[in-house]
Amino acid sequence: MEGDPTLRLRVFDLNCWAIRYLSKRRQERIRLIGDMLRQEDFDLVLLQEVWSERDYSDLNVKVGGCYPFSHYFRSGVIGSGLCVFSRFPILDTLLYQYSLNGYPYMLQHGDWFCGKSVGLVIIKISGIIFNIYVTHLHAEYCREKDAYLPHRLVQAWELAQFIRHTSKAADVVLLGGDLNMHPEDVGIRLLRGWTGLQDAFAEATRFEGCEDGCTLVPNNCFTDKSELLPFPLGIRIDYILYKAISSFMVKCEEMKTTTGAAPGTDVPFSDHEAVMATLHIQRQGQAAGATLTTAEPTLADVVTEARTEVGVGLRAAQQQRYSSGRMALLALLLLLLQAVAALGALAGLGAGQPFPKLSFCLLAFLAIGILLLATGLHLFHTMEVKMLQSTEEQMRMVLRTLQERP
Amino acid sequence: MEGDPTLRLRVFDLNCWAIRYLSKRRQERIRLIGDMLRQEDFDLVLLQEVWSERDYSDLNVKVGGCYPFSHYFRSGVIGSGLCVFSRFPILDTLLYQYSLNGYPYMLQHGDWFCGKSVGLVIIKISGIIFNIYVTHLHAEYCREKDAYLPHRLVQAWELAQFIRHTSKAADVVLLGGDLNMHPEDVGIRLLRGWTGLQDAFAEATRFEGCEDGCTLVPNNCFTDKSELLPFPLGIRIDYILYKAISSFMVKCEEMKTTTGAAPGTDVPFSDHEAVMATLHIQRQGQAAGATLTTAEPTLADVVTEARTEVGVGLRAAQQQRYSSGRMALLALLLLLLQAVAALGALAGLGAGQPFPKLSFCLLAFLAIGILLLATGLHLFHTMEVKMLQSTEEQMRMVLRTLQERP
C-alpha cells in the first residue's frame, strides 16, 4: 500500500459451531470452511467455537498457504474457542477472560466450562496498526426470561473496557464475534456507546445476504426453528464492528453474509451465518478525535439501563449466596446432631440403638454431600456478587464522570 | 505544575497483612497505617492484602480528607486485597485477574481463594497521564522447592503483557506491589526486561531504611524467623517500579522503607516493611523512545529461562491431569462393578448376600466421592495445562521476534 492512499481489508467472521461429539457434521463443515477460506482469500479470519485444537490444526494445515499467520486462544476447561488466521504477521497477542460466564452447575448450557474470553491480536499493515479483537459472549437461552443477562452485560462491559484500555496506540480497531445480542439490546448499545465502535452492517455501502443481516436464520438446517419462531427473518447476533483512531478513516464498502447451505452442497458452514466485510482504510489530514460516537446524554442513559440490569443480577446473586450459605449451615447442624447422637450411643446413653446403622450412615453421607455442594455454591455466588458489585461501581463512576462534564 | 518543569510525586506501597481473624493486631495496625498516611501526606498510596472491605472503608473514612479519591479492586472469593488512595482524581480503572494462582486444595496456603490480580488506575496530574498498577503475586512458601514458581512466572508474564498493552497512551507507568520475588529472580528480570520498568530502589539518589532495601526483615516481630534464616538481612520482595514513555523523564530522588515498629509504638505496620519513593517527573525535549531497557540478547536469555521453568510446570501439570483422570476412571470402574454386583444380587444370581450392606454402601459413597474429587481435579489441571501451554507459546513467539530482529 506504500504510495497508495487506501488500504482494502477483507474480513471474515464465523461462529463455527464445532463442538466435538455434539455438533452435527462437524468435520465435513470444518473441511468446507477451510476450502472456502482458501478460495476466497480474505485478509483476516476471525473464528469462534473452534473448541478442539485438532480442528484448529487441521484448518491451519489447510489454509496455511493463504494465511501464514494464526493464533489459537487457550482458556477455561474446554478452551476459548477463539482463533485468528491472518495474511499479515501477528505482532502480539493478549487474552482477557471474562470474570463472569454462567454457572458451573448449568451443565446443559455449558458456557461456564468454555472460559469465554476476548482475544486481541495486533497486526501492522503498511505502517497502520490494527488492534483486532475476537470474542464470544454468553449465549441467550431464553429471551423472555434471560437469566444470563447480567453476566452478558458484565462481559459486554469488560469487553468495552478491555478494548478502550488496550487500543490507545492503535490506528484501527476491529471487533468480530458472536455477541449473542440483538442490535438494539442494551449490551450492544453499551459496547458501541462506550467504545465508539461502528457496526459494519449499518454502515455498509452495499449489502448482500440474509435479510436484515441476520446470522441465525430459519432456513439454515442446523438452527432450532422453535427458538426463531418470534423472529421469522432470523436474528442478527454476529458482528463486525470497527473504528479508526488517530488520523485514519474506515469505511465499510461491502458487507455480506452466507445464506444457509455452502455453495454446491446441502450443508451450511455452521448453524450461524458467516459475516464478511470489505473495509477501506484511509489516512486523513485531521485526527478523528472523538472516540465516543454516541452523544453523551444518550450514553449516560445506556449505562444507567445496563447498571439497573446488573443491579437485578446482583440482588439475585446475593439471594443465592444467602440460600446456599443457609443450606451449608443446616447440613453442618445435621452432621453435628448426628455426631452427638453417635457419641451418645457409643457412651451407652441411649436405650439400645436408636437408628438403623445403614440409614444413619446414608444420612451422614447425604449431609456431607450437601455441605460440600452448598459450600461450593456459596463460594461461587460470593465471587459472582463481588464481580457484579465491581461492575456496578465502575458504571456508577463512569456515570458520575459523564454527568460532571459540562 | 503548570509553568513548573518538575512534578514531585510521593508514592507509598505496603502489603498490609490484614487477614480477618488470622493476622495479629490487625485493627490496631490498620489504625496506625491510617494515622501515618494522614500525617505523611503522600500523593499516591498502593496497598495489598486489605482483604476486608470493612478495613478499606475504615481507612477511607480516616484518610479521605487527605486522599479524596480511592478505589478497591474486588475479585475472587475473598477479594484481590488491592486498593489505591490518591490525592488526584482517578479517571479510569481496570482489573486483570491472573489465569493461574495456586491450587484450591492447598487450603493452608489459600492463595487460590484470593483471586490475585493486577489493578490499574489512571490518573492525570498537570496534564501528565499516569498509569498506576498495583499487584500481589503468588507467595513463595519454600524457596528450595518452589512448587508455585511456574504459576508466579505466568503471573509475572501476564503482568508484563497487561502493562505493555494498556500503557501505550501513558506518559508515566508506575507499578507498586508485593511481587514475592527477590530482585535477581527470573520473574523480576522477565517483568523488567519485557516492560522496561526501572527499580526505584536501584535508581534512588538517596536511600534510608532497612539494609539492602529489604521489606521482610528478621527484626519485624511479625515475620517468621525460621523462613528468614538463610537471609540474615531479610529479603526484598516489595517494589516500586517505574518508567516514562513519550517525552518524559522520571528520576527517583529518594527511597525509604519503614524499619520494624511504627514510630512511638512497639507494633510494626505489617509483617512487611512499607516502601516509599519520591519521584521527579520532568518533560524532556526528545521522546524517550526505547521502552526496553534490557539489551535484547539478554532479554531473550531471560525469556528462555522463564520458558524453561514454565515448561517444568507444564509437565508437572500434565502429570497431575493424567493421574487425576486415571483416578476418576478407576473410581468409575469400581462403581460400575458395584452396580453389576448389586444387580446380580437383586436378580438372585449370587449365593446369598456376598457383601455386608453397610460396607457395600460405604464403598459406593467412597467411590462417588473419589469420582467427584478426581473429576474436579482433572478439570482444574486441564485448565492449568492450557494456561501454561498458552504462556509457553506466547514466550516462544516473543523469542522468535527477538531473534529475528537484526
Side-chain angles (χ1 to χ4, degrees), chain B residues 144-195:
Chain B
E144 290 69 46
K145 214 180 160 186
D146 182 9
Y148 299 111
L149 178 59
H151 284 209
R152 204 179 309 106
L153 277 175
V154 169
Q155 295 184 342
W157 178 255
E158 290 181 348
L159 172 59
Q161 286 285 78
F162 182 72
I163 292 175
R164 287 178 64 247
H165 282 282
T166 54
S167 66
K168 286 177 180 166
D171 297 311
V172 177
V173 172
L174 247 176
L175 165 64
D178 173 3
L179 302 182
N180 271 311
M181 300 186 282
H182 299 206
E184 72 282 4
D185 284 358
V186 56
I188 286 279
R189 285 181 285 132
L190 180 73
L191 171 66
R192 291 194 47 206
W194 192 220
T195 56

Short mmCIF file of all heavy atoms in Angstrom, two decimals, chain B residues 144-195:
data_model
loop_
_atom_site.label_atom_id
_atom_site.label_comp_id
_atom_site.label_asym_id
_atom_site.label_seq_id
_atom_site.Cartn_x
_atom_site.Cartn_y
_atom_site.Cartn_z
N GLU B 144 13.52 -23.51 48.35
CA GLU B 144 14.32 -24.61 47.82
C GLU B 144 13.51 -25.45 46.82
O GLU B 144 14.02 -25.92 45.82
CB GLU B 144 14.81 -25.53 48.96
CG GLU B 144 15.87 -24.89 49.85
CD GLU B 144 15.29 -23.76 50.68
OE1 GLU B 144 14.20 -23.95 51.26
OE2 GLU B 144 15.88 -22.66 50.70
N LYS B 145 12.26 -25.65 47.14
CA LYS B 145 11.42 -26.49 46.27
C LYS B 145 10.12 -25.72 46.04
O LYS B 145 9.09 -26.02 46.63
CB LYS B 145 11.15 -27.82 46.99
CG LYS B 145 11.05 -28.99 46.02
CD LYS B 145 10.78 -30.28 46.74
CE LYS B 145 10.21 -31.28 45.75
NZ LYS B 145 9.80 -32.51 46.39
N ASP B 146 10.24 -24.72 45.18
CA ASP B 146 9.13 -23.77 45.00
C ASP B 146 8.13 -24.30 43.98
O ASP B 146 8.27 -24.10 42.77
CB ASP B 146 9.72 -22.43 44.55
CG ASP B 146 8.65 -21.37 44.39
OD1 ASP B 146 7.50 -21.62 44.79
OD2 ASP B 146 8.97 -20.29 43.86
N ALA B 147 7.08 -24.97 44.51
CA ALA B 147 6.09 -25.60 43.62
C ALA B 147 5.27 -24.56 42.86
O ALA B 147 4.62 -24.88 41.87
CB ALA B 147 5.17 -26.48 44.44
N TYR B 148 5.28 -23.32 43.34
CA TYR B 148 4.45 -22.30 42.71
C TYR B 148 5.21 -21.45 41.71
O TYR B 148 4.65 -20.50 41.16
CB TYR B 148 3.83 -21.40 43.79
CG TYR B 148 2.94 -22.16 44.74
CD1 TYR B 148 3.30 -22.35 46.07
CD2 TYR B 148 1.73 -22.68 44.30
CE1 TYR B 148 2.48 -23.06 46.93
CE2 TYR B 148 0.91 -23.39 45.16
CZ TYR B 148 1.28 -23.57 46.48
OH TYR B 148 0.47 -24.26 47.32
N LEU B 149 6.49 -21.76 41.48
CA LEU B 149 7.29 -20.93 40.57
C LEU B 149 6.65 -20.81 39.18
O LEU B 149 6.53 -19.68 38.67
CB LEU B 149 8.72 -21.49 40.48
CG LEU B 149 9.66 -20.76 39.52
CD1 LEU B 149 9.81 -19.29 39.90
CD2 LEU B 149 11.04 -21.41 39.49
N PRO B 150 6.19 -21.91 38.56
CA PRO B 150 5.57 -21.74 37.23
C PRO B 150 4.35 -20.81 37.27
O PRO B 150 4.18 -19.98 36.38
CB PRO B 150 5.17 -23.17 36.84
CG PRO B 150 6.10 -24.04 37.61
CD PRO B 150 6.31 -23.34 38.92
N HIS B 151 3.52 -20.93 38.32
CA HIS B 151 2.35 -20.05 38.41
C HIS B 151 2.79 -18.59 38.57
O HIS B 151 2.21 -17.69 37.97
CB HIS B 151 1.46 -20.45 39.59
CG HIS B 151 0.64 -21.68 39.31
ND1 HIS B 151 -0.58 -21.92 39.87
CD2 HIS B 151 0.87 -22.73 38.49
CE1 HIS B 151 -1.06 -23.07 39.43
NE2 HIS B 151 -0.18 -23.58 38.59
N ARG B 152 3.82 -18.36 39.42
CA ARG B 152 4.28 -16.99 39.64
C ARG B 152 4.88 -16.41 38.36
O ARG B 152 4.73 -15.22 38.08
CB ARG B 152 5.27 -16.94 40.81
CG ARG B 152 5.33 -15.55 41.44
CD ARG B 152 6.28 -15.48 42.62
NE ARG B 152 6.02 -16.52 43.57
CZ ARG B 152 6.79 -17.59 43.73
NH1 ARG B 152 7.89 -17.74 43.00
NH2 ARG B 152 6.48 -18.49 44.62
N LEU B 153 5.53 -17.29 37.59
CA LEU B 153 6.11 -16.83 36.32
C LEU B 153 5.01 -16.49 35.31
O LEU B 153 5.13 -15.51 34.57
CB LEU B 153 7.04 -17.89 35.75
CG LEU B 153 8.44 -17.86 36.35
CD1 LEU B 153 9.28 -19.02 35.83
CD2 LEU B 153 9.13 -16.53 36.00
N VAL B 154 3.95 -17.30 35.29
CA VAL B 154 2.81 -16.98 34.42
C VAL B 154 2.23 -15.62 34.84
O VAL B 154 1.92 -14.77 34.01
CB VAL B 154 1.73 -18.08 34.47
CG1 VAL B 154 0.44 -17.63 33.80
CG2 VAL B 154 2.24 -19.36 33.81
N GLN B 155 2.12 -15.41 36.16
CA GLN B 155 1.61 -14.13 36.65
C GLN B 155 2.53 -12.98 36.24
O GLN B 155 2.05 -11.92 35.81
CB GLN B 155 1.45 -14.18 38.18
CG GLN B 155 0.39 -15.18 38.63
CD GLN B 155 0.15 -15.16 40.13
OE1 GLN B 155 0.97 -14.66 40.90
NE2 GLN B 155 -0.97 -15.71 40.55
N ALA B 156 3.84 -13.17 36.40
CA ALA B 156 4.79 -12.10 36.04
C ALA B 156 4.68 -11.79 34.55
O ALA B 156 4.71 -10.63 34.14
CB ALA B 156 6.21 -12.52 36.39
N TRP B 157 4.50 -12.85 33.75
CA TRP B 157 4.36 -12.67 32.30
C TRP B 157 3.07 -11.92 31.97
O TRP B 157 3.06 -10.96 31.19
CB TRP B 157 4.39 -14.03 31.61
CG TRP B 157 4.20 -13.95 30.14
CD1 TRP B 157 3.08 -14.27 29.44
CD2 TRP B 157 5.16 -13.51 29.17
NE1 TRP B 157 3.27 -14.06 28.11
CE2 TRP B 157 4.55 -13.59 27.90
CE3 TRP B 157 6.48 -13.04 29.26
CZ2 TRP B 157 5.19 -13.23 26.73
CZ3 TRP B 157 7.13 -12.68 28.08
CH2 TRP B 157 6.49 -12.77 26.85
N GLU B 158 1.96 -12.36 32.60
CA GLU B 158 0.67 -11.70 32.33
C GLU B 158 0.70 -10.26 32.81
O GLU B 158 0.12 -9.37 32.17
CB GLU B 158 -0.47 -12.48 33.01
CG GLU B 158 -0.73 -13.82 32.31
CD GLU B 158 -1.87 -14.64 32.92
OE1 GLU B 158 -2.33 -14.30 34.03
OE2 GLU B 158 -2.28 -15.62 32.30
N LEU B 159 1.38 -10.03 33.94
CA LEU B 159 1.52 -8.66 34.45
C LEU B 159 2.26 -7.80 33.43
O LEU B 159 1.82 -6.68 33.09
CB LEU B 159 2.28 -8.70 35.79
CG LEU B 159 2.70 -7.39 36.42
CD1 LEU B 159 1.49 -6.50 36.68
CD2 LEU B 159 3.47 -7.62 37.72
N ALA B 160 3.37 -8.33 32.91
CA ALA B 160 4.16 -7.58 31.93
C ALA B 160 3.32 -7.32 30.67
O ALA B 160 3.31 -6.19 30.14
CB ALA B 160 5.43 -8.36 31.57
N GLN B 161 2.61 -8.34 30.20
CA GLN B 161 1.79 -8.19 28.99
C GLN B 161 0.67 -7.17 29.22
O GLN B 161 0.38 -6.35 28.35
CB GLN B 161 1.18 -9.55 28.59
CG GLN B 161 2.15 -10.51 27.97
CD GLN B 161 2.49 -10.12 26.53
OE1 GLN B 161 3.28 -9.22 26.29
NE2 GLN B 161 1.87 -10.79 25.58
N PHE B 162 0.04 -7.26 30.38
CA PHE B 162 -1.05 -6.33 30.70
C PHE B 162 -0.53 -4.89 30.73
O PHE B 162 -1.15 -3.98 30.18
CB PHE B 162 -1.66 -6.72 32.06
CG PHE B 162 -2.83 -5.86 32.47
CD1 PHE B 162 -4.06 -5.99 31.83
CD2 PHE B 162 -2.72 -4.93 33.49
CE1 PHE B 162 -5.14 -5.21 32.20
CE2 PHE B 162 -3.80 -4.14 33.87
CZ PHE B 162 -5.01 -4.29 33.22
N ILE B 163 0.64 -4.69 31.35
CA ILE B 163 1.21 -3.35 31.42
C ILE B 163 1.56 -2.87 30.01
O ILE B 163 1.24 -1.74 29.62
CB ILE B 163 2.46 -3.33 32.33
CG1 ILE B 163 2.04 -3.56 33.79
CG2 ILE B 163 3.21 -2.00 32.20
CD1 ILE B 163 3.21 -3.68 34.76
N ARG B 164 2.20 -3.71 29.22
CA ARG B 164 2.60 -3.32 27.87
C ARG B 164 1.38 -2.91 27.03
O ARG B 164 1.39 -1.90 26.35
CB ARG B 164 3.33 -4.46 27.17
CG ARG B 164 4.75 -4.68 27.69
CD ARG B 164 5.40 -5.86 27.00
NE ARG B 164 5.59 -5.62 25.58
CZ ARG B 164 4.96 -6.26 24.60
NH1 ARG B 164 4.12 -7.24 24.89
NH2 ARG B 164 5.18 -5.98 23.35
N HIS B 165 0.33 -3.71 27.11
CA HIS B 165 -0.82 -3.46 26.24
C HIS B 165 -1.69 -2.30 26.71
O HIS B 165 -2.41 -1.72 25.90
CB HIS B 165 -1.68 -4.73 26.11
CG HIS B 165 -1.11 -5.74 25.18
ND1 HIS B 165 -1.22 -5.62 23.82
CD2 HIS B 165 -0.41 -6.87 25.39
CE1 HIS B 165 -0.62 -6.64 23.24
NE2 HIS B 165 -0.12 -7.42 24.17
N THR B 166 -1.70 -2.02 28.01
CA THR B 166 -2.62 -0.98 28.50
C THR B 166 -1.93 0.37 28.71
O THR B 166 -2.60 1.34 29.01
CB THR B 166 -3.29 -1.39 29.83
OG1 THR B 166 -2.26 -1.75 30.76
CG2 THR B 166 -4.23 -2.56 29.66
N SER B 167 -0.61 0.42 28.57
CA SER B 167 0.07 1.67 28.94
C SER B 167 0.54 2.47 27.74
O SER B 167 1.33 3.39 27.88
CB SER B 167 1.26 1.34 29.85
OG SER B 167 2.23 0.63 29.11
N LYS B 168 0.02 2.12 26.57
CA LYS B 168 0.58 2.75 25.36
C LYS B 168 0.27 4.24 25.24
O LYS B 168 0.94 4.95 24.51
CB LYS B 168 0.12 1.98 24.12
CG LYS B 168 0.87 0.65 24.00
CD LYS B 168 0.44 -0.20 22.86
CE LYS B 168 1.25 -1.50 22.86
NZ LYS B 168 0.67 -2.51 21.98
N ALA B 169 -0.76 4.69 25.96
CA ALA B 169 -1.07 6.13 25.88
C ALA B 169 -0.60 6.85 27.14
O ALA B 169 -0.86 8.04 27.31
CB ALA B 169 -2.57 6.32 25.70
N ALA B 170 0.09 6.14 28.02
CA ALA B 170 0.50 6.76 29.29
C ALA B 170 1.81 7.52 29.11
O ALA B 170 2.63 7.17 28.26
CB ALA B 170 0.67 5.68 30.34
N ASP B 171 1.99 8.56 29.92
CA ASP B 171 3.27 9.25 29.92
C ASP B 171 4.20 8.60 30.93
O ASP B 171 5.40 8.49 30.71
CB ASP B 171 3.06 10.73 30.26
CG ASP B 171 2.21 11.43 29.22
OD1 ASP B 171 2.52 11.27 28.02
OD2 ASP B 171 1.22 12.09 29.58
N VAL B 172 3.62 8.21 32.06
CA VAL B 172 4.43 7.60 33.11
C VAL B 172 3.73 6.33 33.60
O VAL B 172 2.52 6.32 33.79
CB VAL B 172 4.64 8.56 34.31
CG1 VAL B 172 5.41 7.88 35.43
CG2 VAL B 172 5.34 9.82 33.86
N VAL B 173 4.50 5.25 33.75
CA VAL B 173 3.97 3.99 34.27
C VAL B 173 4.57 3.76 35.64
O VAL B 173 5.78 3.93 35.83
CB VAL B 173 4.34 2.82 33.33
CG1 VAL B 173 3.96 1.49 33.96
CG2 VAL B 173 3.67 2.98 31.98
N LEU B 174 3.73 3.38 36.58
CA LEU B 174 4.18 3.12 37.95
C LEU B 174 3.61 1.78 38.39
O LEU B 174 2.41 1.54 38.22
CB LEU B 174 3.58 4.18 38.85
CG LEU B 174 4.51 5.20 39.50
CD1 LEU B 174 3.68 6.20 40.25
CD2 LEU B 174 5.51 4.54 40.40
N LEU B 175 4.44 0.92 38.95
CA LEU B 175 3.94 -0.35 39.47
C LEU B 175 4.39 -0.49 40.91
O LEU B 175 5.58 -0.34 41.22
CB LEU B 175 4.48 -1.51 38.64
CG LEU B 175 4.36 -2.93 39.24
CD1 LEU B 175 2.90 -3.33 39.39
CD2 LEU B 175 5.07 -3.96 38.36
N GLY B 176 3.45 -0.76 41.80
CA GLY B 176 3.80 -0.98 43.20
C GLY B 176 3.19 -2.28 43.64
O GLY B 176 2.08 -2.62 43.23
N GLY B 177 3.91 -3.01 44.49
CA GLY B 177 3.28 -4.22 45.00
C GLY B 177 4.25 -5.22 45.57
O GLY B 177 5.47 -5.06 45.51
N ASP B 178 3.63 -6.26 46.12
CA ASP B 178 4.39 -7.37 46.68
C ASP B 178 4.51 -8.40 45.58
O ASP B 178 3.55 -9.11 45.26
CB ASP B 178 3.61 -7.92 47.89
CG ASP B 178 4.24 -9.19 48.44
OD1 ASP B 178 5.30 -9.60 47.92
OD2 ASP B 178 3.67 -9.77 49.38
N LEU B 179 5.70 -8.48 44.97
CA LEU B 179 5.88 -9.38 43.83
C LEU B 179 6.33 -10.77 44.27
O LEU B 179 6.44 -11.68 43.45
CB LEU B 179 6.87 -8.78 42.84
CG LEU B 179 6.49 -7.39 42.28
CD1 LEU B 179 7.52 -6.90 41.28
CD2 LEU B 179 5.12 -7.41 41.63
N ASN B 180 6.62 -10.94 45.57
CA ASN B 180 7.05 -12.24 46.10
C ASN B 180 8.22 -12.83 45.32
O ASN B 180 8.30 -14.05 45.14
CB ASN B 180 5.86 -13.21 46.12
CG ASN B 180 5.09 -13.11 47.43
OD1 ASN B 180 5.69 -13.15 48.51
ND2 ASN B 180 3.78 -12.93 47.35
N MET B 181 9.11 -11.96 44.85
CA MET B 181 10.31 -12.41 44.13
C MET B 181 11.48 -11.54 44.58
O MET B 181 11.32 -10.33 44.78
CB MET B 181 10.12 -12.25 42.62
CG MET B 181 8.94 -13.04 42.07
SD MET B 181 8.79 -13.00 40.27
CE MET B 181 8.07 -11.39 39.99
N HIS B 182 12.64 -12.17 44.73
CA HIS B 182 13.87 -11.44 45.05
C HIS B 182 14.33 -10.68 43.80
O HIS B 182 14.03 -11.09 42.68
CB HIS B 182 14.96 -12.41 45.50
CG HIS B 182 14.60 -13.19 46.74
ND1 HIS B 182 15.53 -13.68 47.60
CD2 HIS B 182 13.40 -13.54 47.27
CE1 HIS B 182 14.93 -14.33 48.59
NE2 HIS B 182 13.64 -14.26 48.41
N PRO B 183 15.11 -9.62 43.97
CA PRO B 183 15.48 -8.79 42.81
C PRO B 183 16.16 -9.54 41.68
O PRO B 183 16.01 -9.18 40.52
CB PRO B 183 16.44 -7.75 43.43
CG PRO B 183 16.09 -7.70 44.86
CD PRO B 183 15.61 -9.06 45.24
N GLU B 184 16.90 -10.61 42.01
CA GLU B 184 17.64 -11.31 40.95
C GLU B 184 16.84 -12.49 40.38
O GLU B 184 17.30 -13.18 39.46
CB GLU B 184 19.01 -11.77 41.48
CG GLU B 184 18.97 -12.92 42.45
CD GLU B 184 18.56 -12.52 43.87
OE1 GLU B 184 18.20 -11.32 44.13
OE2 GLU B 184 18.56 -13.40 44.75
N ASP B 185 15.63 -12.73 40.89
CA ASP B 185 14.83 -13.86 40.40
C ASP B 185 14.43 -13.68 38.94
O ASP B 185 14.25 -12.56 38.46
CB ASP B 185 13.56 -14.02 41.26
CG ASP B 185 13.88 -14.66 42.61
OD1 ASP B 185 15.06 -15.00 42.83
OD2 ASP B 185 12.95 -14.81 43.43
N VAL B 186 14.23 -14.81 38.27
CA VAL B 186 13.94 -14.76 36.84
C VAL B 186 12.65 -13.98 36.55
O VAL B 186 12.57 -13.25 35.55
CB VAL B 186 13.90 -16.20 36.22
CG1 VAL B 186 12.91 -17.10 36.91
CG2 VAL B 186 13.62 -16.14 34.73
N GLY B 187 11.66 -14.10 37.44
CA GLY B 187 10.38 -13.41 37.23
C GLY B 187 10.54 -11.89 37.21
O GLY B 187 9.92 -11.19 36.40
N ILE B 188 11.37 -11.37 38.10
CA ILE B 188 11.61 -9.92 38.15
C ILE B 188 12.38 -9.49 36.90
O ILE B 188 12.07 -8.47 36.28
CB ILE B 188 12.44 -9.55 39.40
CG1 ILE B 188 11.58 -9.63 40.65
CG2 ILE B 188 13.06 -8.17 39.28
CD1 ILE B 188 10.71 -8.42 40.89
N ARG B 189 13.37 -10.29 36.51
CA ARG B 189 14.14 -9.94 35.32
C ARG B 189 13.26 -9.97 34.08
O ARG B 189 13.37 -9.12 33.20
CB ARG B 189 15.34 -10.89 35.19
CG ARG B 189 16.46 -10.57 36.19
CD ARG B 189 17.63 -11.50 36.02
NE ARG B 189 17.37 -12.83 36.55
CZ ARG B 189 17.61 -13.98 35.92
NH1 ARG B 189 18.12 -13.96 34.71
NH2 ARG B 189 17.35 -15.13 36.51
N LEU B 190 12.33 -10.94 34.07
CA LEU B 190 11.40 -11.04 32.95
C LEU B 190 10.48 -9.81 32.90
O LEU B 190 10.33 -9.16 31.86
CB LEU B 190 10.56 -12.31 33.12
CG LEU B 190 9.52 -12.60 32.05
CD1 LEU B 190 10.21 -13.07 30.76
CD2 LEU B 190 8.53 -13.68 32.51
N LEU B 191 9.89 -9.50 34.05
CA LEU B 191 8.98 -8.35 34.14
C LEU B 191 9.68 -7.06 33.73
O LEU B 191 9.16 -6.28 32.92
CB LEU B 191 8.45 -8.26 35.58
CG LEU B 191 7.64 -7.02 35.94
CD1 LEU B 191 6.33 -7.00 35.17
CD2 LEU B 191 7.36 -6.96 37.44
N ARG B 192 10.87 -6.85 34.28
CA ARG B 192 11.58 -5.60 34.00
C ARG B 192 12.09 -5.57 32.56
O ARG B 192 12.00 -4.54 31.88
CB ARG B 192 12.74 -5.42 34.98
CG ARG B 192 12.22 -5.14 36.41
CD ARG B 192 13.33 -4.65 37.30
NE ARG B 192 14.08 -3.61 36.64
CZ ARG B 192 15.34 -3.31 36.89
NH1 ARG B 192 15.99 -3.98 37.81
NH2 ARG B 192 15.95 -2.36 36.23
N GLY B 193 12.59 -6.69 32.11
CA GLY B 193 13.12 -6.75 30.75
C GLY B 193 12.04 -6.55 29.70
O GLY B 193 12.24 -5.84 28.71
N TRP B 194 10.87 -7.13 29.94
CA TRP B 194 9.82 -7.12 28.93
C TRP B 194 8.99 -5.84 28.95
O TRP B 194 8.25 -5.54 28.02
CB TRP B 194 8.97 -8.38 29.08
CG TRP B 194 8.01 -8.70 27.97
CD1 TRP B 194 6.74 -9.18 28.12
CD2 TRP B 194 8.21 -8.60 26.55
NE1 TRP B 194 6.16 -9.38 26.90
CE2 TRP B 194 7.04 -9.02 25.91
CE3 TRP B 194 9.27 -8.16 25.75
CZ2 TRP B 194 6.87 -9.04 24.52
CZ3 TRP B 194 9.12 -8.18 24.36
CH2 TRP B 194 7.94 -8.62 23.77
N THR B 195 9.05 -5.09 30.08
CA THR B 195 8.29 -3.84 30.16
C THR B 195 9.20 -2.61 30.13
O THR B 195 8.75 -1.52 29.83
CB THR B 195 7.48 -3.74 31.47
OG1 THR B 195 8.41 -3.88 32.57
CG2 THR B 195 6.42 -4.82 31.57
#
